[in-house]
Amino acid sequence: MKEITAGKNLIAALESAGYEAYYVGGCVRDLLRGLEPADIDVTTGATPEEMKEVFADLRYFETGIKHGTVTVLDEAGVPFEITTFRTEGTYSDNRHPDSVSFVRDLREDLQRRDFTINAIAMDIRGGIHDPFDGAADIEAGIIRTVGEADERFGEDALRIMRAMRFAAVLGDHAKAFAIDPATEASMFRNKELLLNVSAERIFTEFKKLVTGVHAGDAVRQYVDILGVVIPEMLPMKGFEQRNPYHNYDVLEHCVRAMEAIKTTPNNEVYMKMAALFHDIGKPDMFFIGNDGIGHMYGHPLKGEEMVREIMGRLKADRFTSDRVTQLVRYHDLLFREDEKLIKKWLNKFGEEVLLEILHIKWADNIATGNMSRQLDDMFRHVEEMIGRIVEAEECFSLKDLAVDGRDIMETDGAPEGPAIGEILQSLLNEVIDGSLPNEREAIMARAEELTRGR
Ligand code: ATP
Ligand code: MG
């Protein structure tokens, strides 16, 4: 089995001073699944005051002192969060304990944790402390609350969102983790409690959910729960498109797009969200034409408006909100292997966003369930074309043009203000069209013509 070495000295120091201390939570869960643990959490019987003494020679920050969390930098300067064993008092608002108190008993600390798979502690010799049989649940792939589900979701309803997130994220391609039936029934029963949880906490879990290997199945199974916080998703479910291009209802189509989309670690979160929401505007815009076929003209614009609202309600950060909204707005671009067209779009969107729109559109087509071989080839060729144009540094934006605004202002009878920008834009269009070379002299001659003609 892999072991955790990070933070070992800190735990050893606490032990030498006579306190218990353990790795706990996600890192132990991941280790037992045979994975490299990501962020490391440590829990101890020492109070923050006592830790301060033990770590007198190290850099030490009181990051969440009220909850018993401190951050200590080890010898290498790597930060570790260490939290005092604690229990939580009653919850009157479905999200915060009315009080927390520090305790000396590990079991009490593990008991306040959300799921059995997250309630396992491990000492630095590899000894496992697992009073709620979390290791067996990891082995079987089961997500189950510690204690009675109704009570635990009533204390903090975010746990409902976390259960869906773990269902989406845990497991491998072959096998997902399943939510235990009693826990799952309680999630459905208590779903409205999610309305009492802060948008920021929900969005943090939602971001993790969409990136999970089993995100698609989590959305399929739990859309009625997600619909409490994103009610716009509910009409997508079972919405038949009555259109020969589509084999699936709107939700299934969007889920498949989320599953199919090609992403990078940098854009994964917002690309998956954009794919999931790309047709969210369809149910609102649906009508049956004289041809007897379902149409949804204008759905990208409607979708843009709806996504902007969802992102606002979930208090998404500005960048994510803007990008998801933009991708939904433009997901329906009609790509062709046409160099002039692609250059124009490179000018409008820039390379990064244009490639992202291409991948949304590509996933959109895969997710209809009947994409032709030719269409697949076309997307690949356009992707290569974008690469070639960018590589060859062929002119496609104002900053690449061989003249700038100052040059235009120096022409005879030069206009002022916004007219300069308009002239530059026409010059750029002609360069993209190939009717004008991107050379200073030629462009200046043309600029004078354009100025005279105004
Ligand atoms: P990740 O791998 O995403 O970090 P994690 O399980 O470590 O997953 P965190 O949010 O980092 O999740 O929380 C650390 C630990 O704290 C959890 O494993 C769990 O034991 C406990 N925990 C976190 N949030 C809650 C909660 N809302 N209710 C109860 N226990 C929680
Ligand atoms: Mg963690």
Side-chain angles (χ1 to χ4, degrees):
M1 192 173 89
K2 293 197 168 66
E3 61 175 319
I4 308 176
T5 49
K8 216 168 174 168
N9 293 344
L10 300 177
I11 296 186
L14 285 164
E15 285 188 350
S16 316
Y19 303 106
E20 287 178 51
Y22 305 91
Y23 295 114
V24 71
C27 62
V28 179
R29 181 192 69 226
D30 290 346
L31 197 77
L32 292 176
R33 293 170 60 219
L35 303 178
E36 204 61 56
D39 66 348
I40 310 275
D41 292 308
V42 175
T43 185
T44 180
T47 63
E49 283 305 310
E50 289 163 344
M51 281 194 263
K52 206 169 185 166
E53 271 173 44
V54 175
F55 299 124
D57 298 335
L58 293 173
R59 297 197 40 214
Y60 172 101
F61 305 94
E62 303 188 337
T63 34
I65 199 81
K66 259 199 344 230
H67 298 109
T69 302
V70 303
T71 300
V72 186
L73 299 191
D74 72 2
E75 306 84 348
V78 182
F80 281 93
E81 285 207 343
I82 307 184
T83 305
T84 304
F85 297 161
R86 61 170 212 243
T87 56
E88 296 174 346
T90 49
Y91 285 71
S92 31
D93 60 359
N94 314 118
R95 53 187 164 159
H96 296 121
D98 301 327
S99 64
V100 303
S101 33
F102 301 146
V103 292
R104 296 288 186 189
D105 180 10
L106 171 66
R107 187 192 157 97
E108 283 189 64
D109 180 88
L110 295 177
Q111 192 156 12
R112 69 158 174 101
R113 294 177 182 269
D114 47 6
F115 303 108
T116 58
I117 56 173
N118 291 341
I120 309 172
M122 190 181 83
D123 63 39
I124 47 176
R125 291 159 297 279
I128 295 286
H129 303 255
D130 182 19
F132 305 104
D133 290 331
D137 281 343
I138 292 175
E139 185 66 34
I142 294 175
I143 299 159
R144 184 198 315 270
T145 51
V146 173
E148 223 261 304
D150 284 343
E151 192 181 313
R152 303 311 311 281
F153 293 142
E155 289 168 356
D156 178 4
L158 182 76
R159 292 168 189 158
I160 296 172
M161 197 71 203
R162 285 174 60 85
M164 295 190 288
R165 185 262 278 198
F166 288 119
V169 166
L170 298 180
D172 54 23
H173 280 280
K175 186 169 181 286
F177 272 48
I179 301 180
D180 157 69
T183 298
E184 185 181 68
S186 174
M187 288 162 63
F188 281 102
R189 222 169 17 245
N190 290 293
K191 63 183 194 297
E192 304 292 332
L193 297 182
L194 277 173
L195 294 171
N196 300 339
V197 175
S198 80
E200 290 87 347
R201 293 177 80 208
I202 286 180
F203 194 62
T204 301
E205 296 296 331
F206 185 61
K207 281 194 287 193
K208 293 186 178 175
L209 189 160
V210 294
T211 65
V213 265
H214 299 290
D217 285 335
V219 173
R220 288 182 183 98
Q221 281 175 272
Y222 303 117
V223 60
D224 289 341
I225 301 178
L226 284 173
V228 170
V229 281
I230 313 177
E232 292 87 344
M233 290 180 75
L234 295 174
M236 299 167 78
K237 182 177 146 183
F239 198 95
E240 291 303 333
Q241 314 200 39
R242 303 273 296 272
N243 181 308
Y245 293 109
H246 281 280
N247 293 350
Y248 306 113
D249 71 32
V250 174
L251 183 69
E252 179 61 23
H253 167 68
C254 285
V255 166
R256 282 174 180 255
M258 176 177 73
E259 290 173 328
I261 196 162
K262 206 166 105 190
T263 61
T264 66
N266 285 332
N267 68 20
E268 193 182 7
V269 169
Y270 62 79
M271 288 280 271
K272 297 250 162 119
M273 271 185 214
L276 179 61
F277 292 146
H278 80 275
D279 277 346
I280 202 164
K282 272 190 173 175
D284 263 28
M285 301 307 278
F286 181 81
F287 71 94
I288 297 193
N290 293 333
D291 49 8
I293 292 179
H295 295 284
M296 331 212 175
Y297 302 120
H299 79 269
L301 270 174
K302 181 69 191 173
E304 172 188 29
E305 188 188 307
M306 292 166 77
V307 169
R308 166 95 38 223
E309 183 157 331
I310 293 169
M311 294 288 137
R313 192 181 333 116
L314 294 181
K315 302 215 166 70
D317 59 283
R318 185 62 188 267
F319 176 82
T320 306
S321 167
D322 285 350
R323 188 61 69 88
V324 176
T325 308
Q326 185 184 25
L327 294 174
V328 170
R329 162 83 169 84
Y330 291 106
H331 80 263
D332 226 8
L333 279 192
L334 223 47
F335 283 91
R336 275 182 281 126
E337 273 176 75
D338 172 340
E339 206 152 311
K340 281 179 196 165
L341 178 76
I342 296 302
K343 284 183 183 172
K344 239 174 228 158
W345 286 347
L346 274 168
N347 176 26
K348 181 172 161 88
F349 297 109
E351 182 194 4
E352 182 177 291
V353 174
L354 185 60
L355 280 172
E356 288 173 357
I357 296 172
L358 177 80
H359 282 290
I360 298 261
K361 182 76 186 176
W362 203 336
D364 184 2
N365 277 277
I366 295 171
T368 59
N370 52 24
M371 179 172 66
S372 67
R373 179 69 197 275
Q374 288 96 303
L375 204 53
D376 193 52
D377 287 342
M378 185 276 290
F379 285 122
R380 194 173 1 266
H381 295 155
V382 170
E383 186 177 31
E384 286 159 8
M385 181 182 279
I386 293 172
R388 267 199 316 277
I389 296 172
V390 173
E391 180 81 8
E393 295 182 12
E394 288 180 36
C395 169
F396 51 77
S397 82
L398 283 178
K399 71 176 176 359
D400 302 314
L401 203 61
V403 304
D404 61 17
R406 229 167 314 151
D407 298 315
I408 306 298
M409 286 192 276
E410 282 160 16
T411 55
D412 275 346
E416 294 195 357
I420 304 245
E422 284 164 29
I423 290 181
L424 278 172
Q425 194 58 53
S426 337
L427 292 168
L428 175 65
N429 288 342
E430 291 182 21
V431 170
I432 291 174
D433 281 349
S435 58
L436 185 65
N438 189 19
E439 287 157 16
R440 199 185 145 76
E441 226 168 281
I443 297 182
M444 288 308 290
R446 179 72 182 133
E448 276 173 32
E449 264 176 55
L450 287 175
T451 319
R452 257 180 278 125
R454 289 182 75 89

